[in-house]
Amino acid sequence: MNESPMFAAETSVRHQWLSVTAVSLATFSVVTTEMLPVGLLTPIADTLDISSGTAGLMISLPALLAALFAPLVVMAAGDIDRRRILCGLLGLLIIANITSALAPSLWWMLAGRVLVGFCMGGIWAIAGGLAARLVPTHSIGLATSIIFGGVAAASVMGVPLGAWVGDFAGWRWAFGSMALFSGVVLAFNLAFMPKLPVVSSATYNAFCKQLGNRKLQVGLTLTLFLVAGHFMAFTFVRPLLLLSVSGFETQWIGALLFAYGIAGIIGNFLAGMVAARRTGLTLMAISLGLLLTPVLFLTVGDSHIGGGVVLLVWGLAYGGVSVGLMTWVMKAAPHAMEIATALYVGVFNIGIALGSWAGGQAVDGLGLTANLWLAAGFAACALFLCLGINLTKNRGKSTWLAH
């Protein structure tokens, strides 16, 4: 019996959203892999016989490389089918996780993390421009939210998931589990992702043109301040909770970071509901939250209850970062989405690299407390920039900031 037209249409719509889900799982997989060492920093450092500051290279190195690879992958991809690129990068991600799981030394670990940086830059940049190719025009907004929801969920859930697996079975199994998960995501993409041929590709001149986009420049500057400030402190959240501030026992870390992740997902949805209409106000609230977090750790975070509450506030604030900033970037360059996304990914990962590296230097040289003050300074810069934008907009002195 032949399928009815109605059934065929329903099947087509279902397949579209399965494709969107496949891309979201890809972004979730690669960002979780990138964030995995944060919750495992202390046991990895102990096993490889390195300092916590040196272990921070596991975060800063792939982030820095992702910043470099994101625009390069978009330009080098040319007219290659995006499905082939996405699946190839997922295959490399499996190898990267296996390499990390088996690493006998820091150098082997960093070799695996170099591959993670390549996959991170490529997957995130390619994924940003796929929503419009997978669903009808009226569904692009929702599809984009789902795709970048994978980034947001990974940003807040990757650390507690890694810490939980690491506490249960050891840090090597955390990377091994991500290798298995990445394999499942690759199979899902092969099964449901349609062919994605490219009509026209990004060029060097097009990138240069967007670099002169003033509203995009503001979004990229905010990205650098917010992300760098966050990762200065969050890369060392485990020793922060265990050692000098809140004094939690090791067995509580996984649960605490899981609660942080839940708060982050709530923050992501709250920001997503507001950001489309009030993007500037959303980013101002996020900046204020990320400024208050280190200050609260230094003032009321010296107890179990205080430290736990501050961690939840932290998750709530940072959970909205990805969707808030991406909304700004999309509004700044609606006709050059893949280029704007690549630049955003690049600056986002420069922020991760800068924050984790600077945080490592501060922790090794000045201690965790001084590092918190430095992180607060970055968030304060973002808040002042948001306030300046809001004042300029309200006075009507610049039309390029109109939403």
Side-chain angles (χ1 to χ4, degrees):
M1 181 181 296
N2 294 330
E3 292 181 347
S4 68
M6 179 66 72
F7 180 81
E10 290 175 353
T11 302
S12 177
V13 170
R14 184 164 61 248
H15 193 89
Q16 291 170 0
W17 290 107
L18 286 171
S19 299
V20 171
T21 302
V23 182
S24 181
L25 287 172
T27 59
F28 177 84
S29 182
V30 73
V31 177
T32 297
T33 298
E34 185 187 27
M35 296 294 102
L36 208 56
V38 174
L40 304 168
L41 200 70
T42 302
I44 293 176
D46 291 343
T47 300
L48 301 182
D49 194 24
I50 55 178
S51 71
S52 292
T54 301
L57 288 171
M58 293 184 293
I59 303 297
S60 59
L61 181 62
L64 189 61
L65 291 173
L68 172 66
F69 290 136
L72 290 180
V73 168
V74 170
M75 287 190 289
D79 58 356
I80 300 175
D81 189 294
R82 294 304 188 250
R83 177 180 184 270
R84 293 177 59 188
I85 294 177
L86 196 59
C87 291
L89 290 169
L90 285 169
L92 288 177
L93 187 63
I94 297 171
I95 296 173
N97 275 300
I98 293 174
T99 302
S100 298
L102 300 176
S105 66
L106 174 64
W107 297 110
W108 275 100
M109 173 63 77
L110 293 182
R113 301 301 287 173
V114 167
L115 270 182
V116 172
F118 182 77
C119 296
M120 177 70 186
I123 290 176
W124 200 355
I126 294 298
L130 291 184
R133 306 193 60 191
L134 296 175
V135 298
T137 303
H138 65 273
S139 298
I140 289 176
L142 177 58
T144 301
S145 298
I146 293 173
I147 289 172
F148 281 93
V151 176
S155 297
V156 296
M157 293 301 293
V159 174
L161 284 173
W164 182 79
V165 175
D167 289 342
F168 179 74
W171 65 265
R172 294 187 186 276
W173 274 107
F175 287 102
S177 299
M178 275 310 304
L180 292 173
F181 181 77
S182 298
V184 173
V185 174
L186 173 58
F188 197 86
N189 274 266
L190 288 170
F192 297 110
M193 185 65 62
K195 292 183 178 180
L196 297 166
V198 179
V199 176
S200 61
S201 57
T203 64
Y204 174 78
N205 289 336
F207 268 92
C208 291
K209 181 179 179 181
Q210 287 306 314
L211 285 173
N213 181 335
R214 294 181 64 194
K215 189 172 182 181
L216 182 58
Q217 289 172 357
V218 171
L220 297 179
T221 303
L222 284 172
T223 300
L224 184 63
F225 283 145
L226 291 174
V227 176
H230 169 75
F231 278 94
M232 281 190 73
F234 195 67
T235 299
F236 306 96
V237 66
R238 189 180 181 106
L240 187 66
L241 292 172
L242 283 172
L243 303 176
S244 68
V245 180
S246 301
F248 282 100
E249 293 75 23
T250 303
Q251 63 267 25
W252 286 102
I253 299 302
L256 285 166
L257 292 177
F258 184 78
Y260 162 90
I262 295 298
I265 290 177
I266 294 172
N268 174 65
F269 281 105
L270 290 175
M273 288 188 292
V274 179
R277 293 176 286 108
R278 303 295 296 274
T279 312
L281 182 62
T282 301
L283 291 175
M284 191 183 303
I286 290 170
S287 301
L288 180 60
L290 292 179
L291 169 60
L292 289 176
T293 296
V295 175
L296 289 173
F297 252 121
L298 291 166
T299 53
V300 300
D302 57 350
S303 67
H304 287 179
I305 294 176
V309 170
V310 174
L311 190 66
L312 293 179
V313 173
W314 198 350
L316 194 66
Y318 185 71
V321 165
S322 293
V323 66
L325 290 170
M326 190 59 208
T327 301
W328 182 286
V329 168
M330 290 171 64
K331 288 184 175 183
H335 303 298
M337 195 74 69
E338 194 171 76
I339 294 173
T341 300
L343 292 171
Y344 167 66
V345 173
V347 174
F348 197 106
N349 283 279
I350 288 173
I352 295 174
L354 174 63
S356 57
W357 175 81
Q361 299 304 304
V363 167
D364 284 350
L366 302 173
L368 288 167
T369 298
N371 187 49
L372 285 175
W373 283 116
L374 291 172
F378 274 81
C381 290
L383 180 59
F384 287 138
L385 180 55
C386 287
L387 289 171
I389 292 167
N390 190 60
L391 288 174
T392 302
K393 179 184 174 183
N394 288 340
R395 290 173 183 173
K397 291 184 177 180
S398 182
T399 58
W400 60 271
L401 286 172
H403 289 265

